[in-house]
PDB file of all heavy atoms in Angstrom:
ATOM      1  N   GLY A 106     -27.241  -2.205 -16.326  1.00 96.00           N
ATOM      2  CA  GLY A 106     -27.452  -3.328 -17.315  1.00 96.00           C
ATOM      3  C   GLY A 106     -26.397  -4.345 -17.096  1.00 96.00           C
ATOM      4  O   GLY A 106     -26.140  -5.078 -18.075  1.00 96.00           O
ATOM      5  N   VAL A 107     -25.781  -4.508 -15.981  1.00 97.00           N
ATOM      6  CA  VAL A 107     -24.767  -5.608 -15.771  1.00 97.00           C
ATOM      7  C   VAL A 107     -25.570  -6.734 -15.235  1.00 97.00           C
ATOM      8  O   VAL A 107     -25.922  -6.709 -13.988  1.00 97.00           O
ATOM      9  CB  VAL A 107     -23.655  -5.149 -14.832  1.00 97.00           C
ATOM     10  CG1 VAL A 107     -22.564  -6.260 -14.627  1.00 97.00           C
ATOM     11  CG2 VAL A 107     -22.995  -3.820 -15.187  1.00 97.00           C
ATOM     12  N   ASP A 108     -25.791  -7.698 -16.051  1.00 97.00           N
ATOM     13  CA  ASP A 108     -26.849  -8.677 -15.649  1.00 97.00           C
ATOM     14  C   ASP A 108     -26.340  -9.904 -14.695  1.00 97.00           C
ATOM     15  O   ASP A 108     -27.067 -10.464 -13.944  1.00 97.00           O
ATOM     16  CB  ASP A 108     -27.394  -9.375 -16.965  1.00 97.00           C
ATOM     17  CG  ASP A 108     -28.457 -10.384 -16.626  1.00 97.00           C
ATOM     18  OD1 ASP A 108     -29.415  -9.992 -15.926  1.00 97.00           O
ATOM     19  OD2 ASP A 108     -28.288 -11.603 -17.040  1.00 97.00           O
ATOM     20  N   ARG A 109     -25.078 -10.193 -14.939  1.00 98.00           N
ATOM     21  CA  ARG A 109     -24.525 -11.392 -14.231  1.00 98.00           C
ATOM     22  C   ARG A 109     -23.943 -11.021 -12.911  1.00 98.00           C
ATOM     23  O   ARG A 109     -23.078 -10.121 -12.808  1.00 98.00           O
ATOM     24  CB  ARG A 109     -23.613 -12.090 -15.168  1.00 98.00           C
ATOM     25  CG  ARG A 109     -23.147 -13.500 -14.768  1.00 98.00           C
ATOM     26  CD  ARG A 109     -24.228 -14.450 -15.135  1.00 98.00           C
ATOM     27  NE  ARG A 109     -23.932 -15.822 -14.660  1.00 98.00           N
ATOM     28  CZ  ARG A 109     -24.108 -16.232 -13.489  1.00 98.00           C
ATOM     29  NH1 ARG A 109     -24.873 -15.502 -12.567  1.00 98.00           N
ATOM     30  NH2 ARG A 109     -23.741 -17.526 -13.123  1.00 98.00           N
ATOM     31  N   PHE A 110     -24.351 -11.798 -11.781  1.00 98.00           N
ATOM     32  CA  PHE A 110     -23.862 -11.362 -10.433  1.00 98.00           C
ATOM     33  C   PHE A 110     -23.630 -12.671  -9.698  1.00 98.00           C
ATOM     34  O   PHE A 110     -24.493 -13.489  -9.487  1.00 98.00           O
ATOM     35  CB  PHE A 110     -24.986 -10.603  -9.671  1.00 98.00           C
ATOM     36  CG  PHE A 110     -24.486  -9.830  -8.521  1.00 98.00           C
ATOM     37  CD1 PHE A 110     -24.157  -8.477  -8.660  1.00 98.00           C
ATOM     38  CD2 PHE A 110     -24.324 -10.441  -7.212  1.00 98.00           C
ATOM     39  CE1 PHE A 110     -23.700  -7.751  -7.585  1.00 98.00           C
ATOM     40  CE2 PHE A 110     -23.779  -9.702  -6.226  1.00 98.00           C
ATOM     41  CZ  PHE A 110     -23.479  -8.357  -6.369  1.00 98.00           C
ATOM     42  N   LEU A 111     -22.358 -12.786  -9.284  1.00 98.00           N
ATOM     43  CA  LEU A 111     -21.932 -13.974  -8.490  1.00 98.00           C
ATOM     44  C   LEU A 111     -21.558 -13.483  -7.059  1.00 98.00           C
ATOM     45  O   LEU A 111     -20.601 -12.641  -6.918  1.00 98.00           O
ATOM     46  CB  LEU A 111     -20.704 -14.635  -9.140  1.00 98.00           C
ATOM     47  CG  LEU A 111     -19.916 -15.776  -8.405  1.00 98.00           C
ATOM     48  CD1 LEU A 111     -20.961 -16.933  -8.150  1.00 98.00           C
ATOM     49  CD2 LEU A 111     -18.744 -16.296  -9.293  1.00 98.00           C
ATOM     50  N   GLN A 112     -22.243 -14.020  -6.075  1.00 98.00           N
ATOM     51  CA  GLN A 112     -22.119 -13.594  -4.683  1.00 98.00           C
ATOM     52  C   GLN A 112     -21.378 -14.668  -3.921  1.00 98.00           C
ATOM     53  O   GLN A 112     -21.770 -15.842  -3.867  1.00 98.00           O
ATOM     54  CB  GLN A 112     -23.444 -13.318  -4.083  1.00 98.00           C
ATOM     55  CG  GLN A 112     -23.476 -12.987  -2.592  1.00 98.00           C
ATOM     56  CD  GLN A 112     -23.173 -11.521  -2.252  1.00 98.00           C
ATOM     57  OE1 GLN A 112     -22.804 -10.814  -3.143  1.00 98.00           O
ATOM     58  NE2 GLN A 112     -23.314 -11.142  -0.974  1.00 98.00           N
ATOM     59  N   LEU A 113     -20.247 -14.294  -3.283  1.00 98.00           N
ATOM     60  CA  LEU A 113     -19.576 -15.325  -2.434  1.00 98.00           C
ATOM     61  C   LEU A 113     -20.052 -15.063  -1.081  1.00 98.00           C
ATOM     62  O   LEU A 113     -19.889 -14.166  -0.415  1.00 98.00           O
ATOM     63  CB  LEU A 113     -18.031 -15.104  -2.443  1.00 98.00           C
ATOM     64  CG  LEU A 113     -17.278 -16.372  -2.046  1.00 98.00           C
ATOM     65  CD1 LEU A 113     -17.814 -17.575  -2.876  1.00 98.00           C
ATOM     66  CD2 LEU A 113     -15.772 -16.236  -2.217  1.00 98.00           C
ATOM     67  N   SER A 114     -20.764 -16.136  -0.587  1.00 98.00           N
ATOM     68  CA  SER A 114     -21.418 -16.129   0.694  1.00 98.00           C
ATOM     69  C   SER A 114     -20.585 -16.878   1.659  1.00 98.00           C
ATOM     70  O   SER A 114     -19.360 -17.014   1.624  1.00 98.00           O
ATOM     71  CB  SER A 114     -22.904 -16.628   0.641  1.00 98.00           C
ATOM     72  OG  SER A 114     -23.576 -16.402   1.851  1.00 98.00           O
ATOM     73  N   ALA A 115     -21.179 -17.641   2.640  1.00 96.00           N
ATOM     74  CA  ALA A 115     -20.419 -18.506   3.457  1.00 96.00           C
ATOM     75  C   ALA A 115     -21.374 -19.565   3.942  1.00 96.00           C
ATOM     76  O   ALA A 115     -22.585 -19.336   4.123  1.00 96.00           O
ATOM     77  CB  ALA A 115     -19.883 -17.728   4.679  1.00 96.00           C
ATOM     78  N   LEU A 116     -20.842 -20.765   4.396  1.00 96.00           N
ATOM     79  CA  LEU A 116     -21.656 -21.928   4.839  1.00 96.00           C
ATOM     80  C   LEU A 116     -22.400 -21.350   6.077  1.00 96.00           C
ATOM     81  O   LEU A 116     -21.689 -20.694   6.860  1.00 96.00           O
ATOM     82  CB  LEU A 116     -20.648 -23.047   5.289  1.00 96.00           C
ATOM     83  CG  LEU A 116     -20.280 -24.057   4.365  1.00 96.00           C
ATOM     84  CD1 LEU A 116     -19.698 -25.316   5.132  1.00 96.00           C
ATOM     85  CD2 LEU A 116     -21.495 -24.541   3.415  1.00 96.00           C
ATOM     86  N   GLY A 117     -23.617 -21.707   6.193  1.00 94.00           N
ATOM     87  CA  GLY A 117     -24.386 -21.335   7.358  1.00 94.00           C
ATOM     88  C   GLY A 117     -25.074 -20.005   7.326  1.00 94.00           C
ATOM     89  O   GLY A 117     -25.750 -19.628   8.313  1.00 94.00           O
ATOM     90  N   ALA A 118     -24.823 -19.311   6.229  1.00 96.00           N
ATOM     91  CA  ALA A 118     -25.365 -17.945   6.100  1.00 96.00           C
ATOM     92  C   ALA A 118     -26.901 -17.924   6.338  1.00 96.00           C
ATOM     93  O   ALA A 118     -27.566 -18.865   5.804  1.00 96.00           O
ATOM     94  CB  ALA A 118     -25.181 -17.448   4.716  1.00 96.00           C
ATOM     95  N   ASP A 119     -27.335 -17.112   7.320  1.00 96.00           N
ATOM     96  CA  ASP A 119     -28.662 -17.235   7.844  1.00 96.00           C
ATOM     97  C   ASP A 119     -29.068 -15.873   8.484  1.00 96.00           C
ATOM     98  O   ASP A 119     -28.283 -15.480   9.411  1.00 96.00           O
ATOM     99  CB  ASP A 119     -28.770 -18.377   8.849  1.00 96.00           C
ATOM    100  CG  ASP A 119     -30.109 -18.514   9.422  1.00 96.00           C
ATOM    101  OD1 ASP A 119     -31.003 -17.741   9.244  1.00 96.00           O
ATOM    102  OD2 ASP A 119     -30.294 -19.478  10.333  1.00 96.00           O
ATOM    103  N   PRO A 120     -30.147 -15.208   8.041  1.00 97.00           N
ATOM    104  CA  PRO A 120     -30.494 -13.951   8.496  1.00 97.00           C
ATOM    105  C   PRO A 120     -30.820 -14.044  10.133  1.00 97.00           C
ATOM    106  O   PRO A 120     -30.708 -13.067  10.826  1.00 97.00           O
ATOM    107  CB  PRO A 120     -31.774 -13.527   7.904  1.00 97.00           C
ATOM    108  CG  PRO A 120     -31.810 -14.432   6.599  1.00 97.00           C
ATOM    109  CD  PRO A 120     -31.037 -15.588   6.924  1.00 97.00           C
ATOM    110  N   ASP A 121     -31.008 -15.152  10.669  1.00 96.00           N
ATOM    111  CA  ASP A 121     -31.323 -15.476  12.052  1.00 96.00           C
ATOM    112  C   ASP A 121     -30.112 -16.141  12.688  1.00 96.00           C
ATOM    113  O   ASP A 121     -30.357 -16.792  13.844  1.00 96.00           O
ATOM    114  CB  ASP A 121     -32.724 -16.228  12.268  1.00 96.00           C
ATOM    115  CG  ASP A 121     -33.821 -15.400  11.684  1.00 96.00           C
ATOM    116  OD1 ASP A 121     -33.923 -14.248  11.883  1.00 96.00           O
ATOM    117  OD2 ASP A 121     -34.669 -16.127  10.949  1.00 96.00           O
ATOM    118  N   GLY A 122     -29.023 -16.175  12.058  1.00 94.00           N
ATOM    119  CA  GLY A 122     -27.864 -16.994  12.634  1.00 94.00           C
ATOM    120  C   GLY A 122     -27.250 -16.493  13.832  1.00 94.00           C
ATOM    121  O   GLY A 122     -27.647 -15.418  14.319  1.00 94.00           O
ATOM    122  N   PRO A 123     -26.298 -17.173  14.426  1.00 91.00           N
ATOM    123  CA  PRO A 123     -25.765 -16.801  15.687  1.00 91.00           C
ATOM    124  C   PRO A 123     -24.723 -15.704  15.814  1.00 91.00           C
ATOM    125  O   PRO A 123     -24.466 -15.302  16.821  1.00 91.00           O
ATOM    126  CB  PRO A 123     -25.144 -18.181  16.142  1.00 91.00           C
ATOM    127  CG  PRO A 123     -24.730 -18.846  14.842  1.00 91.00           C
ATOM    128  CD  PRO A 123     -25.768 -18.429  13.831  1.00 91.00           C
ATOM    129  N   THR A 124     -24.253 -15.328  14.622  1.00 92.00           N
ATOM    130  CA  THR A 124     -23.097 -14.266  14.704  1.00 92.00           C
ATOM    131  C   THR A 124     -23.393 -13.170  13.635  1.00 92.00           C
ATOM    132  O   THR A 124     -24.164 -13.397  12.758  1.00 92.00           O
ATOM    133  CB  THR A 124     -21.705 -14.857  14.349  1.00 92.00           C
ATOM    134  OG1 THR A 124     -21.703 -15.343  12.927  1.00 92.00           O
ATOM    135  CG2 THR A 124     -21.294 -15.991  15.271  1.00 92.00           C
ATOM    136  N   ALA A 125     -22.896 -12.025  13.880  1.00 92.00           N
ATOM    137  CA  ALA A 125     -23.119 -10.895  12.929  1.00 92.00           C
ATOM    138  C   ALA A 125     -22.666 -11.258  11.653  1.00 92.00           C
ATOM    139  O   ALA A 125     -23.256 -10.952  10.591  1.00 92.00           O
ATOM    140  CB  ALA A 125     -22.420  -9.575  13.459  1.00 92.00           C
ATOM    141  N   TYR A 126     -21.510 -11.941  11.451  1.00 93.00           N
ATOM    142  CA  TYR A 126     -21.017 -12.351  10.154  1.00 93.00           C
ATOM    143  C   TYR A 126     -22.003 -13.184   9.471  1.00 93.00           C
ATOM    144  O   TYR A 126     -22.353 -12.929   8.363  1.00 93.00           O
ATOM    145  CB  TYR A 126     -19.703 -13.188  10.438  1.00 93.00           C
ATOM    146  CG  TYR A 126     -18.958 -13.754   9.145  1.00 93.00           C
ATOM    147  CD1 TYR A 126     -18.195 -12.974   8.409  1.00 93.00           C
ATOM    148  CD2 TYR A 126     -19.366 -15.036   8.665  1.00 93.00           C
ATOM    149  CE1 TYR A 126     -17.582 -13.562   7.266  1.00 93.00           C
ATOM    150  CE2 TYR A 126     -18.752 -15.506   7.618  1.00 93.00           C
ATOM    151  CZ  TYR A 126     -17.928 -14.821   6.838  1.00 93.00           C
ATOM    152  OH  TYR A 126     -17.345 -15.246   5.652  1.00 93.00           O
ATOM    153  N   ILE A 127     -22.574 -14.311  10.091  1.00 95.00           N
ATOM    154  CA  ILE A 127     -23.509 -15.121   9.428  1.00 95.00           C
ATOM    155  C   ILE A 127     -24.902 -14.488   9.119  1.00 95.00           C
ATOM    156  O   ILE A 127     -25.393 -14.721   8.108  1.00 95.00           O
ATOM    157  CB  ILE A 127     -23.662 -16.414  10.476  1.00 95.00           C
ATOM    158  CG1 ILE A 127     -22.374 -17.277  10.359  1.00 95.00           C
ATOM    159  CG2 ILE A 127     -24.947 -17.163  10.193  1.00 95.00           C
ATOM    160  CD1 ILE A 127     -22.108 -17.911   9.039  1.00 95.00           C
ATOM    161  N   ARG A 128     -25.338 -13.707   9.982  1.00 96.00           N
ATOM    162  CA  ARG A 128     -26.658 -12.996   9.871  1.00 96.00           C
ATOM    163  C   ARG A 128     -26.578 -12.078   8.607  1.00 96.00           C
ATOM    164  O   ARG A 128     -27.461 -12.073   7.789  1.00 96.00           O
ATOM    165  CB  ARG A 128     -27.011 -12.230  11.113  1.00 96.00           C
ATOM    166  CG  ARG A 128     -27.614 -13.039  12.254  1.00 96.00           C
ATOM    167  CD  ARG A 128     -28.205 -12.248  13.321  1.00 96.00           C
ATOM    168  NE  ARG A 128     -27.337 -11.317  13.981  1.00 96.00           N
ATOM    169  CZ  ARG A 128     -26.471 -11.691  15.053  1.00 96.00           C
ATOM    170  NH1 ARG A 128     -26.632 -12.974  15.447  1.00 96.00           N
ATOM    171  NH2 ARG A 128     -25.743 -10.857  15.589  1.00 96.00           N
ATOM    172  N   THR A 129     -25.581 -11.186   8.545  1.00 96.00           N
ATOM    173  CA  THR A 129     -25.384 -10.260   7.488  1.00 96.00           C
ATOM    174  C   THR A 129     -25.071 -10.989   6.106  1.00 96.00           C
ATOM    175  O   THR A 129     -25.493 -10.500   5.071  1.00 96.00           O
ATOM    176  CB  THR A 129     -24.430  -9.179   7.830  1.00 96.00           C
ATOM    177  OG1 THR A 129     -23.072  -9.765   8.184  1.00 96.00           O
ATOM    178  CG2 THR A 129     -24.898  -8.228   8.873  1.00 96.00           C
ATOM    179  N   LYS A 130     -24.412 -12.127   6.248  1.00 97.00           N
ATOM    180  CA  LYS A 130     -24.084 -12.908   5.002  1.00 97.00           C
ATOM    181  C   LYS A 130     -25.477 -13.454   4.483  1.00 97.00           C
ATOM    182  O   LYS A 130     -25.781 -13.357   3.319  1.00 97.00           O
ATOM    183  CB  LYS A 130     -23.220 -14.086   5.294  1.00 97.00           C
ATOM    184  CG  LYS A 130     -21.725 -13.732   5.294  1.00 97.00           C
ATOM    185  CD  LYS A 130     -21.281 -13.515   3.858  1.00 97.00           C
ATOM    186  CE  LYS A 130     -19.784 -13.407   3.791  1.00 97.00           C
ATOM    187  NZ  LYS A 130     -19.283 -13.050   2.380  1.00 97.00           N
ATOM    188  N   GLY A 131     -26.458 -13.916   5.432  1.00 98.00           N
ATOM    189  CA  GLY A 131     -27.674 -14.438   5.106  1.00 98.00           C
ATOM    190  C   GLY A 131     -28.578 -13.260   4.416  1.00 98.00           C
ATOM    191  O   GLY A 131     -29.270 -13.477   3.462  1.00 98.00           O
ATOM    192  N   ARG A 132     -28.561 -12.072   5.096  1.00 98.00           N
ATOM    193  CA  ARG A 132     -29.373 -11.042   4.623  1.00 98.00           C
ATOM    194  C   ARG A 132     -28.827 -10.490   3.250  1.00 98.00           C
ATOM    195  O   ARG A 132     -29.620 -10.117   2.376  1.00 98.00           O
ATOM    196  CB  ARG A 132     -29.407  -9.871   5.552  1.00 98.00           C
ATOM    197  CG  ARG A 132     -30.282 -10.240   6.823  1.00 98.00           C
ATOM    198  CD  ARG A 132     -30.044  -9.320   7.967  1.00 98.00           C
ATOM    199  NE  ARG A 132     -30.504  -7.952   7.729  1.00 98.00           N
ATOM    200  CZ  ARG A 132     -30.120  -6.897   8.468  1.00 98.00           C
ATOM    201  NH1 ARG A 132     -29.452  -7.169   9.533  1.00 98.00           N
ATOM    202  NH2 ARG A 132     -30.653  -5.777   8.147  1.00 98.00           N
ATOM    203  N   ALA A 133     -27.480 -10.550   3.057  1.00 98.00           N
ATOM    204  CA  ALA A 133     -26.979 -10.142   1.759  1.00 98.00           C
ATOM    205  C   ALA A 133     -27.366 -11.128   0.639  1.00 98.00           C
ATOM    206  O   ALA A 133     -27.695 -10.773  -0.475  1.00 98.00           O
ATOM    207  CB  ALA A 133     -25.481 -10.066   1.873  1.00 98.00           C
ATOM    208  N   GLU A 134     -27.522 -12.458   1.087  1.00 98.00           N
ATOM    209  CA  GLU A 134     -28.031 -13.442   0.019  1.00 98.00           C
ATOM    210  C   GLU A 134     -29.438 -12.953  -0.410  1.00 98.00           C
ATOM    211  O   GLU A 134     -29.722 -13.163  -1.643  1.00 98.00           O
ATOM    212  CB  GLU A 134     -28.141 -14.828   0.605  1.00 98.00           C
ATOM    213  CG  GLU A 134     -26.732 -15.448   0.804  1.00 98.00           C
ATOM    214  CD  GLU A 134     -26.832 -16.983   1.039  1.00 98.00           C
ATOM    215  OE1 GLU A 134     -27.950 -17.471   1.247  1.00 98.00           O
ATOM    216  OE2 GLU A 134     -25.714 -17.648   1.268  1.00 98.00           O
ATOM    217  N   SER A 135     -30.217 -12.580   0.491  1.00 98.00           N
ATOM    218  CA  SER A 135     -31.661 -12.226   0.121  1.00 98.00           C
ATOM    219  C   SER A 135     -31.736 -11.052  -0.849  1.00 98.00           C
ATOM    220  O   SER A 135     -32.415 -11.068  -1.797  1.00 98.00           O
ATOM    221  CB  SER A 135     -32.437 -11.810   1.441  1.00 98.00           C
ATOM    222  OG  SER A 135     -32.435 -12.863   2.313  1.00 98.00           O
ATOM    223  N   ILE A 136     -30.771 -10.073  -0.589  1.00 98.00           N
ATOM    224  CA  ILE A 136     -30.725  -8.909  -1.504  1.00 98.00           C
ATOM    225  C   ILE A 136     -30.325  -9.384  -2.881  1.00 98.00           C
ATOM    226  O   ILE A 136     -30.964  -8.971  -3.946  1.00 98.00           O
ATOM    227  CB  ILE A 136     -29.622  -7.838  -0.949  1.00 98.00           C
ATOM    228  CG1 ILE A 136     -30.062  -7.263   0.234  1.00 98.00           C
ATOM    229  CG2 ILE A 136     -29.210  -6.890  -2.030  1.00 98.00           C
ATOM    230  CD1 ILE A 136     -28.980  -6.490   1.053  1.00 98.00           C
ATOM    231  N   VAL A 137     -29.538 -10.359  -2.938  1.00 98.00           N
ATOM    232  CA  VAL A 137     -29.012 -10.768  -4.371  1.00 98.00           C
ATOM    233  C   VAL A 137     -30.170 -11.642  -4.914  1.00 98.00           C
ATOM    234  O   VAL A 137     -30.494 -11.364  -6.119  1.00 98.00           O
ATOM    235  CB  VAL A 137     -27.795 -11.730  -4.214  1.00 98.00           C
ATOM    236  CG1 VAL A 137     -27.419 -12.415  -5.483  1.00 98.00           C
ATOM    237  CG2 VAL A 137     -26.523 -10.840  -3.670  1.00 98.00           C
ATOM    238  N   ARG A 138     -30.843 -12.458  -4.188  1.00 98.00           N
ATOM    239  CA  ARG A 138     -31.989 -13.305  -4.729  1.00 98.00           C
ATOM    240  C   ARG A 138     -33.055 -12.467  -5.306  1.00 98.00           C
ATOM    241  O   ARG A 138     -33.754 -12.735  -6.223  1.00 98.00           O
ATOM    242  CB  ARG A 138     -32.396 -14.297  -3.724  1.00 98.00           C
ATOM    243  CG  ARG A 138     -31.553 -15.414  -3.528  1.00 98.00           C
ATOM    244  CD  ARG A 138     -32.169 -16.663  -2.887  1.00 98.00           C
ATOM    245  NE  ARG A 138     -31.131 -17.600  -2.462  1.00 98.00           N
ATOM    246  CZ  ARG A 138     -30.511 -17.576  -1.293  1.00 98.00           C
ATOM    247  NH1 ARG A 138     -30.973 -16.903  -0.381  1.00 98.00           N
ATOM    248  NH2 ARG A 138     -29.554 -18.408  -1.038  1.00 98.00           N
ATOM    249  N   GLU A 139     -33.297 -11.298  -4.581  1.00 98.00           N
ATOM    250  CA  GLU A 139     -34.480 -10.498  -4.965  1.00 98.00           C
ATOM    251  C   GLU A 139     -34.091  -9.469  -6.021  1.00 98.00           C
ATOM    252  O   GLU A 139     -34.960  -8.786  -6.538  1.00 98.00           O
ATOM    253  CB  GLU A 139     -34.998  -9.697  -3.700  1.00 98.00           C
ATOM    254  CG  GLU A 139     -35.707 -10.566  -2.779  1.00 98.00           C
ATOM    255  CD  GLU A 139     -35.743  -9.975  -1.315  1.00 98.00           C
ATOM    256  OE1 GLU A 139     -35.523  -8.819  -1.115  1.00 98.00           O
ATOM    257  OE2 GLU A 139     -36.039 -10.862  -0.370  1.00 98.00           O
ATOM    258  N   ALA A 140     -32.884  -9.477  -6.451  1.00 98.00           N
ATOM    259  CA  ALA A 140     -32.494  -8.523  -7.561  1.00 98.00           C
ATOM    260  C   ALA A 140     -32.917  -8.871  -8.945  1.00 98.00           C
ATOM    261  O   ALA A 140     -33.129 -10.124  -9.133  1.00 98.00           O
ATOM    262  CB  ALA A 140     -30.885  -8.338  -7.462  1.00 98.00           C
ATOM    263  N   ALA A 141     -33.048  -7.939  -9.734  1.00 96.00           N
ATOM    264  CA  ALA A 141     -33.499  -8.249 -11.222  1.00 96.00           C
ATOM    265  C   ALA A 141     -32.144  -8.589 -11.925  1.00 96.00           C
ATOM    266  O   ALA A 141     -31.801  -7.926 -12.871  1.00 96.00           O
ATOM    267  CB  ALA A 141     -34.145  -7.040 -11.707  1.00 96.00           C
TER     268      ALA A 141
END
Side-chain angles (χ1 to χ4, degrees):
V107 183
D108 181 55
R109 196 72 183 89
F110 199 97
L111 174 58
Q112 173 83 350
L113 203 54
S114 186
L116 271 193
D119 177 356
D121 301 315
T124 65
Y126 176 88
I127 285 297
R128 282 191 297 277
T129 50
K130 279 284 189 186
R132 288 167 63 195
E134 284 191 0
S135 304
I136 291 167
V137 172
R138 285 199 190 93
E139 286 158 18

